[in-house]
Amino acid sequence: MKRRKNRFYTVLIGIFILTIGGLASLSSGEPASISSNNTRNKRYGIRIEKFQVFDSIRNRLIPYALYSPKMKGDSIRLVIFSHGYGSNYSKNYLNYSYLTKRLAEEGFWTLSIQHELEGDSLIPTFGIIQIVRMPFWIRGEANILFVLNHFKESNPNLKVRSVDLIGHSNGGDMSVLTAKDHPELIRKVITLDNLRMPIPRISKPHFSSLRSTDKTADSTVIPPEEVCLTCGIKIIQLKRTTHNQMNDEGSRKQKKQINNYIQKILEDRL
């Protein structure tokens, strides 16, 4: 009889300890267990480095920031980001940190390039835009190619598995031009409301575009729906995001929506 009582109290104490442990887990907001195979929700720590490289052929300095995940590995996925026009504001390439940091957290090495320098001519607002702005897009294309080559030469032990381009507005236009001229280098292009450079009617590289609520692109920019379907081009209309809310000035909800779309596109989940 005494043994039964002792066994009963032992079981009771064990149940009590398990119950307290479960309540503590719930009160801390942490799950009791996390599957080690759940990599989709995993966030890598990131490293941010700033560089200034000099293109001696064009006699031009090119600042850029590298956002990289703090993880080991010699095979990487690379994204090159190009900012929207900022009237030569010197830190425009840092004004999309919600996007560049998130990409690094998801495992993408990300280069964000400063395309405008103090003393550069301001972008034309009159005339035939596709003609008067072409030199600015060509300069942006040259910046992208130079920084890409510089990165590869500076990191000879890294194997670049893929190169994707993302750009906002004017940066989207130069990203489209770069992919159009060098399709062999680029896997995907994602534009955030580019307005002038027509998206090529091709399936490789793969093109996607997130559109704002307050700007209308030139009539030749967005391919017809049937062409998009044939070529796999994704046109995504955002419902509550304006053109100027696509940088760090946007709300948390707007940034989250943009990041989610970009991540799905890059991972072929859209």
Side-chain angles (χ1 to χ4, degrees):
M1 188 70 174
K2 190 173 182 180
R3 286 184 180 177
R4 288 184 180 179
K5 284 186 177 181
N6 289 341
R7 188 179 300 170
F8 172 77
Y9 286 123
T10 300
V11 173
L12 187 62
I13 291 171
I15 293 173
F16 176 77
I17 291 172
L18 289 173
T19 302
I20 293 298
L23 289 173
S25 176
L26 289 173
S27 64
S28 67
E30 296 294 332
S33 64
I34 302 176
S35 171
S36 60
N37 293 326
N38 186 10
T39 57
R40 177 165 292 178
N41 294 325
K42 185 175 181 179
R43 296 287 182 269
Y44 298 104
I46 68 171
R47 180 188 303 107
I48 303 173
E49 302 171 272
K50 297 177 185 176
F51 299 90
Q52 290 189 340
V53 293
F54 187 72
D55 183 348
S56 59
I57 295 178
R58 295 184 297 148
N59 193 33
R60 185 173 182 83
L61 188 70
I62 310 171
Y64 75 90
L66 169 62
Y67 299 79
S68 58
K70 290 182 180 178
M71 62 176 186
K72 295 181 179 180
D74 57 3
S75 181
I76 69 168
R77 297 173 297 175
L78 186 66
V79 172
I80 301 178
F81 180 80
S82 297
H83 60 78
Y85 182 65
S87 301
N88 299 352
Y89 175 53
S90 63
K91 295 183 179 180
N92 215 12
Y93 71 123
L94 303 175
N95 198 25
Y96 297 79
S97 62
Y98 80 95
L99 191 157
T100 49
K101 288 181 179 178
R102 171 67 183 274
L103 287 167
E105 288 172 353
E106 295 292 342
F108 290 88
W109 291 57
T110 305
L111 306 173
S112 183
I113 302 174
Q114 176 66 32
H115 288 286
E116 304 159 18
L117 301 177
E118 184 178 353
D120 283 348
S121 300
L122 296 179
I123 200 166
T125 57
F126 299 98
I128 302 175
I129 296 299
Q130 288 80 0
I131 295 177
V132 297
R133 291 189 183 179
M134 183 58 73
F136 294 80
W137 299 333
I138 292 174
R139 184 181 68 195
E141 177 182 18
N143 290 342
I144 290 170
L145 296 176
F146 186 86
V147 169
L148 174 60
N149 288 332
H150 176 268
F151 175 81
K152 288 181 175 179
E153 290 174 359
S154 301
N155 299 276
N157 295 326
L158 292 178
K159 179 183 177 182
V160 179
R161 291 180 0 222
S162 61
V163 179
D164 301 316
L165 303 182
I166 303 177
H168 177 216
S169 192
N170 192 61
D173 288 329
M174 63 180 66
S175 297
V176 171
L177 177 64
T178 302
K180 178 176 174 289
D181 290 344
H182 302 277
E184 75 285 354
L185 296 178
I186 310 302
R187 183 183 70 119
K188 290 179 181 286
V189 180
I190 304 174
T191 72
L192 306 179
D193 222 30
N194 72 302
L195 303 175
R196 308 296 183 184
M197 179 65 62
I199 294 175
R201 277 64 168 165
I202 55 178
S203 57
K204 291 184 179 181
H206 179 266
F207 287 86
S208 300
S209 186
L210 278 60
R211 312 307 304 177
S212 73
T213 58
D214 66 329
K215 294 289 185 181
T216 301
D218 291 349
S219 60
T220 58
V221 171
I222 307 297
E225 185 176 355
E226 59 273 16
V227 174
C228 290
L229 289 172
T230 301
C231 297
I233 298 170
K234 304 290 185 182
I235 305 299
I236 301 162
Q237 180 61 58
L238 303 177
K239 294 182 179 180
R240 297 180 181 86
T241 300
T242 65
H243 186 83
N244 291 333
Q245 290 174 328
M246 290 181 160
N247 57 22
D248 281 343
E249 303 303 315
S251 70
R252 181 180 298 181
K253 188 174 182 180
Q254 289 166 330
K255 295 173 185 176
K256 182 179 179 180
Q257 184 185 46
I258 291 172
N259 275 332
N260 286 344
Y261 274 124
I262 287 175
Q263 203 63 36
K264 288 179 180 179
I265 292 168
L266 293 178
E267 295 178 356
D268 297 316
R269 294 189 284 116
L270 187 67

